[in-house]
Each structure stands twice: as C-alpha cells, then as structure tokens.
C-alpha cells in the first residue's frame, strides 16, 4: 500500500476542515453542542473512509468535504435567520428555579438531579439554593 495517497487525503481533509471551521465563525470549542459533534463525526467519517480505499480519489474527498461544509453552512444560516427553526432544531432555555422554588418536572424533563443543581450552584459560590433568584438551563446545556 502506498502511503503518499493516505497522507495526501489526510492533508486535504485537514485543510478543508480548518477552512470550514474558520468560515463558521469564532466559537469556543468548549461550548460544542449536539450539531457540532455531528458535524465533526461526519467529517471524520468522510476522511476515514477515504484513507484506505484506493478507489476513492483525492477529488472525491475534496468534493465530499466541500459538500458537507456547504450543508453545515446552510444549516447554521437557517438557524441564524429563522427563530422558529432555531427553536425546533436547537430548543430553548428552561427555567429550573425561581426564588428558591425548584421545578422538579423541568428537572426530570432535562434528566437532572437536585445534586447536580447544588453542585452547579456551588461552582458559582452559592451554597444555599434559596439564594438563587432564577436558574436556567440553556439550549446548549449550560446553566445561567
């Protein structure tokens, strides 16, 4: 097996992925959401499948990655432009607490336990849950 085609396909995959990530904007990678993980998994699958198959040419990899990048761009553009699409595809924030009252149905819906809420509050320096005016779980899974 010739190693040069494998290196070439990896290089193409890396460069195209880097370009597409730069075009998507400056996001904190620590804030990956479900769609970001899907994007990366498919990118990895495209490059991985092409590496060891001699029938797949360089331009096949390039076209596949560019097409996937266009799909991502269109999806993100739709989410940016349409509030309804953003709500349907990414969800909305949920209020977990108000004035120390804990909404157990919302906790169950989001598969959270009271211990997790207490731990999160401690990370913010709050040791008594009754001190919390409002606590939300955001659509990306973060807490405010």
């Amino acid at each position: 097996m010739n190693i040069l085609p494998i290196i070439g396909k990896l290089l193409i995959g890396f460069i195209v992925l880097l370009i597409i990530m730069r075009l998507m904007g400056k996001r904190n990678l620590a804030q990956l959401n479900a769609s970001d993980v899907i994007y990366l998994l498919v990118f990895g699958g495209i490059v991985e499948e092409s590496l060891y198959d001699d029938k797949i040419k360089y331009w096949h990899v390039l076209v596949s990655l560019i097409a996937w990048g266009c799909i991502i761009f269109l999806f993100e553009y739709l989410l940016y432009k349409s509030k309804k699409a953003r709500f349907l595809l990414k969800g909305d924030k949920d209020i977990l607490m108000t004035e120390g009252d804990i909404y157990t149905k919302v906790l169950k819906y989001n598969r959270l336990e009271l211990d997790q809420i207490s731990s999160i509050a401690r990370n913010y320096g709050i040791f008594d849950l009754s001190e919390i005016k409002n606590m939300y779980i955001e659509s990306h899974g973060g807490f405010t």
Side-chain angles (χ1 to χ4, degrees):
M1 172 174 265
N2 193 354
I3 194 85
L4 288 178
I6 293 173
I7 293 171
K9 290 175 185 177
L10 277 173
L11 187 60
I12 288 172
F14 175 75
I15 291 170
V16 173
L17 177 59
L18 191 62
I19 290 169
I20 290 172
M21 289 187 76
R22 293 293 292 162
L23 291 174
M24 294 306 297
K26 297 181 186 286
R27 277 195 223 173
N28 187 348
L29 291 179
Q31 295 177 347
L32 290 178
N33 58 39
S35 57
D36 295 330
V37 173
I38 292 168
Y39 301 159
L40 294 174
L41 286 173
V42 173
F43 267 123
I46 291 170
V47 174
E48 187 271 331
E49 284 292 322
S50 72
L51 286 180
Y52 302 109
D53 190 346
D54 294 332
K55 295 176 188 169
I56 298 175
K57 305 294 180 205
Y58 289 97
W59 68 271
H60 292 140
V61 177
L62 187 61
V63 169
S64 298
L65 290 174
I66 290 172
W68 183 241
C70 290
I71 291 169
I72 292 170
F73 179 78
L74 292 172
F75 181 75
E76 290 292 328
Y77 185 76
L78 174 69
L79 294 178
Y80 175 72
K81 286 293 188 181
S82 172
K83 202 173 202 176
K84 190 179 272 189
R86 190 171 39 255
F87 176 76
L88 289 172
L89 298 171
K90 286 203 169 189
D92 199 11
K93 67 182 179 297
D94 285 330
I95 188 159
L96 301 173
M97 296 180 64
T98 302
E99 303 290 335
D101 293 331
I102 301 168
Y103 301 127
T104 55
K105 286 184 180 182
V106 178
L107 286 179
K108 285 182 183 180
Y109 175 77
N110 287 287
R111 293 175 206 86
L112 295 169
E113 296 177 6
L114 190 56
D115 293 341
Q116 291 172 294
I117 301 302
S118 298
S119 175
I120 292 161
R122 284 192 301 275
N123 287 339
Y124 286 96
I126 300 169
F127 296 94
D128 182 7
L129 294 180
S130 64
E131 295 177 19
I132 298 174
K133 182 170 178 153
N134 294 314
M135 183 177 198
Y136 299 91
I137 183 167
E138 302 293 337
S139 62
H140 59 78
F143 295 89
T144 53

